[in-house]
Amino acid sequence: MKSLFFIVFILLVLSCFNSSNACSVFVTGYTVYIKSTIVNEDVTLRCQSKDDDLGYHVLNSSKVDYDWSFCQHVLGATLYFCHFWRPNYEQVFDVFNTTIAIHCRQGKLDHNTCSYEVRDDGFYLFEQHNYVWLKRFNWKRASSTELPNKYTLSP
Ligand SMILES: *[C@@H]1O[C@H](CO)[C@@H](O)[C@H](O)[C@H]1NC(C)=O
Ligand SMILES: *[C@@H]1O[C@H](CO)[C@@H](O)[C@H](O)[C@H]1NC(C)=O
């Protein structure tokens, strides 16, 4: 009888986690937030993980930012990388992996934020512990000014 109560209790606790829209136990929620401060040019980006393609998005003065959220198990190895394009320049790098997660943790269950700024001189990540922007990458001169062949805008 005691163990039945225990099981019911655990189920109640789990359902609380779910109803608050947080990730469940042993899982941490992250948000990757990308903002462009380049006002005079379109920055196109495409972010992907092993089994998830988030599609093409354009950042410019009418839409400066883009974000998505996901849950990661404590033993998990979630990885998202993004490809960025602007006239004459491009870059590609991991925006989320187990190393970067350290910079994003705010001790919350959900929405620990990996905050990026795309600037004229490169890509910056906000270090949540020290409240500083770390420059991670420069823009790379593109071999071609063309956008990728299968360029389609997601709604
Ligand atoms: C921003 O990009 C969108 C999608 O390409 C485009 O429709 C819109 O006109 C752009 N806005 C500006 C201010 O360039
Ligand atoms: C995570 O991504 C960064 C680039 O953003 C890279 O320098 C680092 O080696 C990657 N770490 C792992 C564990 O893949």
Side-chain angles (χ1 to χ4, degrees), residues 11-151:
L11 288 177
L12 278 176
V13 168
L14 286 177
S15 69
C16 282
F17 274 110
N18 286 337
S19 64
S20 68
N21 202 21
C23 299
S24 65
V25 278
F26 304 123
V27 175
T28 307
Y30 291 93
T31 296
V32 175
Y33 176 82
I34 299 171
K35 178 181 175 181
S36 174
T37 64
I38 301 173
V39 289
N40 53 339
E41 282 174 3
D42 284 7
V43 173
T44 302
L45 61 98
R46 180 196 193 182
C47 300
Q48 289 166 275
S49 68
K50 192 160 60 81
D51 38 33
D52 200 8
D53 184 345
L54 303 176
Y56 292 95
H57 297 268
V58 175
L59 305 183
N60 59 25
S61 53
S62 25
K63 175 141 190 9
V64 295
D65 54 9
Y66 172 65
D67 68 85
W68 74 94
S69 300
F70 54 93
C71 296
Q72 167 164 270
H73 192 274
V74 279
L75 302 175
T78 307
L79 186 154
Y80 278 99
F81 63 95
C82 297
H83 205 138
F84 297 85
W85 297 270
R86 66 188 277 213
N88 302 314
Y89 295 94
E90 64 179 315
Q91 188 52 281
V92 58
F93 57 89
D94 289 358
V95 292
F96 185 88
N97 62 28
T98 48
T99 325
I100 294 163
I102 297 161
H103 297 298
C104 315
R105 273 181 217 134
Q106 297 159 278
K108 301 194 291 184
L109 276 179
D110 225 346
H111 300 298
N112 292 281
T113 303
C114 304
S115 193
Y116 285 90
E117 255 184 34
V118 181
R119 302 185 193 170
D120 202 43
D121 70 321
F123 300 83
Y124 291 74
L125 172 65
F126 191 69
E127 233 272 0
Q128 296 288 358
H129 297 296
N130 302 323
Y131 289 93
V132 289
W133 289 98
L134 298 175
K135 185 169 183 180
R136 305 281 297 179
F137 297 96
N138 286 310
W139 282 98
K140 225 172 52 184
R141 201 155 253 292
S143 39
S144 144
T145 55
E146 300 284 310
L147 282 167
N149 289 338
K150 288 200 292 182
Y151 179 74

